[in-house]
Amino acid sequence: MLITHDTRCALDTVVDLVNTAPEDEASPDALPDVAALADFVRNHEISDVGVLSELDLSAVRRIRGRFASVFAAPDARAAAAVINDLVAAAGTTPRLTDHDGYEWHVHYFAPGASVADHLAADCGMALAFFVVAGEQERLRRCEAPDCRRAFVDLSRNRSRRYCDSRTCGNRLHVAAYRARRKEAAG
């Protein structure tokens, strides 16, 4: 599956956005305030975003939950329904642009759109490409028992199981190794 630079950026952004949500009632929200949202926007180089407000923060948190449901969707039809709603509500207006030193690429948000509409349009379209390509199963949650972070499996054989093989994957492999050694030692 060919993934363009802007689609990859949108995928990274949507994964990071979904992963800002608290995992449970005891976990903190990684988007607690407008300043955190501004950092998120800056870190992801989201262009054409004006002054952010509490309304923007609320709207981004709402679409974050909708994006999370795409990663939890049981099938392509369910994922498509959520994506269609997100993209339609954002009032997408595809346009070619070559800003900030990047080659020509497509933005799906309307000029002057809110940050939530911007994310819904660009990130929604990036996820839509996976559904269209029959690759919705690549939109996953970490299989580590104590982690439910979202990720996009871009491995060649669709075999990635953990959000990060160096942390979640390695931790589980080490635990399994120690359990086998303990069992062998009797």
Side-chain angles (χ1 to χ4, degrees), residues 20 29-43 52 57:
T20 65
D29 191 320
L31 285 179
D33 53 33
V34 175
L37 178 58
D39 287 342
F40 184 88
V41 166
R42 186 175 46 262
N43 292 338
L52 299 171
L57 180 61

Side-chain angles (χ1 to χ4, degrees), residues 40-57:
F40 184 88
V41 166
R42 186 175 46 262
N43 292 338
H44 289 86
E45 299 179 348
I46 300 170
S47 61
D48 295 335
V49 175
V51 176
L52 299 171
S53 69
E54 288 291 330
L55 291 174
D56 291 310
L57 180 61

Side-chain angles (χ1 to χ4, degrees), residues 8-81:
R8 180 60 193 256
C9 289
L11 290 171
D12 292 343
T13 300
V14 72
V15 165
D16 288 349
L17 179 62
V18 168
N19 290 333
T20 65
E23 291 187 27
D24 54 40
E25 284 78 37
S27 301
D29 191 320
L31 285 179
D33 53 33
V34 175
L37 178 58
D39 287 342
F40 184 88
V41 166
R42 186 175 46 262
N43 292 338
H44 289 86
E45 299 179 348
I46 300 170
S47 61
D48 295 335
V49 175
V51 176
L52 299 171
S53 69
E54 288 291 330
L55 291 174
D56 291 310
L57 180 61
S58 295
V60 168
R61 285 178 174 165
R62 275 193 306 277
I63 65 159
R64 174 180 69 184
R66 302 294 312 277
F67 280 131
S69 67
V70 173
F71 282 84
D75 55 38
R77 187 167 304 284

Side-chain angles (χ1 to χ4, degrees), residues 5 97-105:
H5 171 76
T97 183
D98 66 344
H99 64 89
D100 299 329
Y102 292 108
E103 295 296 321
W104 287 104
H105 58 283

